[in-house]
Amino acid sequence: MKFFLAATCVWTLLIRAKTEARVNSGHHVQNVLDSLERAEFSKKTISTDPDPTEFMYNDAVVDHYAASLGSTPKKWSQRFYYDDTFIKADNSPVFLYIGGEGAQGPMSDRMFMYELASEVGALVVTLEHRYYGKSFPVDNMSVENLKFLTSEQAQADLARMIDFVAALPVGEVELKAQPALVNKFDLSASRWVAFGGSYPGNMATWLKLKYPSKVVGTVGSSAPVKADYNYFKYAQVTGYAMSYPPIGGSQQCYDIIEAAMTSVHDAVTNNPDSLPPSLSPCAPVKGAEDMYAYESEIFGWFQGTVQYNMQGPSIATVASLCSALTSASSTPIEALASMADDYFGGSCVPSSWSDLIDELRVEEFDGSSAMRQWIYQSCNEFGYFQTTEGSDHPFVPLKGVTLNAAGKKMCEAAYSLDAYAGPRKGGGGDETYASDEHYGARDIQGTNITMPNGSCDPWHSLGVISEEGKFYDEDQNTAEGIVPVFIDGTAHCRDMYAPGTFAAFGYNDTDAVVAAHATIREQVLSYVG
């Protein structure tokens, strides 16, 4: 089954043609960048090729909120990247790229923020999120050890990294970094701007709210800042995108998907042997949990296509899937089977709940896996469980993708909980989630915060968007210093890529993307003065 992390990206899996290698988990943008590397794609951009250097910060703190008086904080080593390609003078701007949801790679010239760094002569610092990649604050991911995996701890990591870099001596060896780091410029009065996309977009936004003196501004792209236990709006936006003509969708496509989902559910429930091979369960569907495993995989085909629409090589798009479905002179389920064989080819559809849970129970760090960590964060703080409940989307017939399975049962099974009833609640005595209470959800009261979102990104309905958006919610309340950037027809984190990044694959920057980049550039330049 396919999990789409967000906030990966709930879970992120890069949907590819059957000839492409699969990516099990990780941050949306890193997955796209990795796919471009695999395609050996290189575009002309800034004159100096990036050559970021990887370091480990050996003075990171495990628990920033330890209450023991006089105790010595336990330290650990956190990965970061320090790229001084463009900085030419003391107290130049510093751009902080925030990692999350998976292992973090170095900054890339395919990123729009790197182009902006070139323009303003900024130092670029990239910080990997605790518990992901090489950043292990504890020995393993036992339930007890996962208690330090919170957004609040990660926010404090960001603040500590800013203080560390700002205080770096000039021309001297800094031994708190390995390999030893030699900084060339005085950064004590530098202006910092934080960038992130998806959950790291939340982190960028929240950094300005909780540590306003550390950064002069932030760009939080595709940031789902509102917690949601039963996130069926993901299915609603996915259905909307599959019907949206400017990106190749249509009402006919939507209707065929809905009819096919009805036929699939009826067949797997009553006569699974009647299903075509590409839609047949890999193992017998023995109960509600296996039904979730099976139907969430089929739902995932469309989730991944919409979330990654037109963002790389050999990836199914809304237009290609709708073309396959609407051009077939066959029944909806036959059209779906043909589409599955062409784009997600396999001899069967995974249908084992136990296989999924076994993966989530692995407690050892391996430097790449992200599923146990991210699902824990979702269970604990945000929810983001993508179901097919609710209404107004074509996946309603998939009755197995329930909150009980996607949220409650998964969290209980993965982390050995006796009972689970959703993300942590706040202290106000009502049903407000602790995350929303702490950060404000869509009530963003800050300054110098830019928040881009795409109208066809399934995560944007939990973000801050323009009032004209179909999924605008009246609970949104933002200060004048918040700048929403609404990008028509685009998918997750689309604004984060440099101009022309996807042109080689036939996906030119739309007028909406060009306008978004202009707005983001204007805001960032105003932040750094």
Side-chain angles (χ1 to χ4, degrees):
M1 54 237 62
K2 299 177 173 66
F3 297 99
F4 291 85
L5 304 178
T8 212
C9 331
V10 174
W11 326 114
T12 293
L13 176 69
L14 187 56
I15 301 300
R16 302 183 177 284
K18 62 185 179 182
T19 55
E20 285 282 317
R22 300 267 176 149
V23 176
N24 290 326
S25 62
H27 185 263
H28 179 105
V29 173
Q30 192 63 51
N31 284 344
V32 172
L33 295 176
D34 289 345
S35 77
L36 297 178
E37 291 294 336
R38 283 192 292 270
E40 297 181 351
F41 170 63
S42 179
K43 71 181 188 67
K44 288 186 177 180
T45 181
I46 45 189
S47 58
T48 304
D49 292 332
D51 184 25
T53 303
E54 178 181 330
F55 295 89
M56 300 300 294
Y57 172 51
N58 297 328
D59 201 40
V61 174
V62 173
D63 183 6
H64 295 275
Y65 304 101
S68 298
L69 182 64
S71 63
T72 301
K74 186 177 180 180
K75 302 297 181 64
W76 62 288
S77 295
Q78 186 169 18
R79 178 161 64 172
F80 72 101
Y81 298 89
Y82 180 94
D83 187 343
D84 60 359
T85 301
F86 305 119
I87 184 169
K88 305 298 182 186
D90 290 343
N91 297 317
S92 294
V94 182
F95 286 179
L96 174 64
Y97 184 57
I98 300 172
E101 304 174 48
Q104 181 60 54
M107 184 46 56
S108 167
D109 67 351
R110 297 183 178 113
M111 298 288 287
F112 182 51
M113 68 166 286
Y114 204 67
E115 182 170 300
L116 295 178
S118 173
E119 293 178 16
V120 302
L123 173 71
V124 179
V125 176
T126 300
L127 184 64
E128 185 169 69
H129 197 291
R130 56 170 55 206
Y131 285 79
Y132 294 94
K134 295 182 179 179
S135 298
F136 311 148
V138 290
D139 294 333
N140 58 51
M141 294 182 286
S142 68
V143 174
E144 172 64 17
N145 280 344
L146 287 171
K147 67 184 178 183
F148 301 116
L149 176 53
T150 68
S151 60
E152 291 93 339
Q153 295 281 3
Q155 285 278 304
D157 290 340
L158 293 168
R160 189 174 180 85
M161 174 56 61
I162 291 172
D163 289 344
F164 165 69
V165 173
L168 285 172
V170 178
E172 299 178 15
V173 174
E174 174 52 67
L175 298 179
K176 290 180 181 178
Q178 289 184 343
L181 188 156
V182 178
N183 175 51
K184 301 174 184 176
F185 298 96
D186 180 5
L187 304 171
S188 60
S190 291
R191 290 178 158 236
W192 287 69
V193 180
F195 297 78
S198 197
Y199 161 66
N202 291 358
M203 294 294 287
T205 301
W206 296 338
L207 184 64
K208 184 59 177 166
L209 297 178
K210 295 301 179 181
Y211 296 87
S213 66
K214 301 295 184 185
V215 291
V216 296
T218 64
V219 181
S221 301
S222 297
V225 291
K226 181 178 175 62
D228 193 352
Y229 185 22
N230 187 355
Y231 188 33
F232 56 77
K233 283 188 176 180
Y234 192 110
Q236 292 176 338
V237 182
T238 299
Y240 167 75
M242 297 305 297
S243 71
Y244 194 52
I247 61 172
S250 67
Q251 187 61 46
Q252 181 188 11
C253 181
Y254 181 107
D255 292 342
I256 290 173
I257 293 170
E258 186 171 36
M261 298 302 106
T262 299
S263 297
V264 165
H265 181 77
D266 289 346
V268 76
T269 301
N270 301 309
N271 187 15
D273 291 340
S274 68
L275 286 163
S278 61
L279 299 179
S280 295
C282 293
V285 175
K286 297 179 179 179
E289 287 80 12
D290 286 345
M291 181 66 78
Y292 166 78
Y294 171 78
E295 292 192 340
S296 67
E297 180 79 10
I298 293 174
F299 179 35
W301 297 340
F302 297 94
Q303 290 178 275
T305 297
V306 170
Q307 184 166 316
Y308 285 89
N309 192 44
M310 297 187 288
Q311 290 188 13
S314 303
I315 301 176
T317 64
V318 169
S320 66
L321 294 195
C322 281
S323 176
L325 291 171
T326 58
S327 63
S329 56
S330 56
T331 66
I333 194 171
E334 290 170 342
L336 180 69
S338 178
M339 181 208 78
D341 190 56
D342 288 344
Y343 288 97
F344 312 104
S347 57
C348 57
V349 177
S351 56
S352 172
W353 170 264
S354 62
D355 287 350
L356 165 62
I357 297 304
D358 287 346
E359 179 182 354
L360 295 179
R361 285 175 172 162
V362 176
E363 297 183 356
E364 291 73 28
F365 290 108
D366 65 8
S368 60
S369 297
M371 297 305 296
R372 181 170 173 82
Q373 302 96 302
W374 179 248
I375 303 257
Y376 177 83
Q377 288 192 263
S378 299
C379 295
N380 187 39
E381 295 191 69
F382 312 122
Y384 295 151
F385 299 114
Q386 298 143 42
T387 76
T388 55
E389 297 181 8
S391 59
D392 300 322
H393 62 83
F395 308 101
V396 172
L398 297 178
K399 302 299 184 183
V401 189
T402 65
L403 181 61
N404 188 59
K408 177 179 172 60
K409 294 295 185 182
M410 186 176 297
C411 293
E412 290 173 350
Y415 307 105
S416 302
L417 304 176
D418 292 331
Y420 175 77
R424 287 185 289 115
K425 300 297 193 299
D430 56 18
E431 290 301 303
T432 302
Y433 298 120
S435 172
D436 288 349
E437 184 176 274
H438 184 62
Y439 297 115
R442 283 188 286 238
D443 186 355
I444 308 291
Q445 302 302 311
T447 60
N448 291 358
I449 298 173
T450 302
M451 303 186 74
N453 274 288
S455 70
C456 292
D457 172 15
W459 291 104
H460 87 275
S461 62
L462 293 179
V464 170
I465 63 175
S466 301
E467 291 186 17
E468 66 267 22
K470 176 179 173 62
F471 293 91
Y472 174 81
D473 197 303
E474 292 185 355
D475 72 354
Q476 180 173 309
N477 179 37
T478 57
E480 291 185 3
I482 311 303
V483 180
V485 183
F486 200 49
I487 316 170
D488 183 59
T490 58
H492 201 48
C493 300
R494 180 59 181 84
D495 62 283
M496 296 184 72
Y497 305 102
T501 293
F502 304 112
F505 313 112
Y507 309 135
N508 293 319
D509 294 345
T510 63
D511 290 344
V513 171
V514 173
H517 279 164
T519 300
I520 295 166
R521 175 182 278 107
E522 179 183 11
Q523 292 301 310
V524 171
L525 293 180
S526 73
Y527 298 161
V528 300

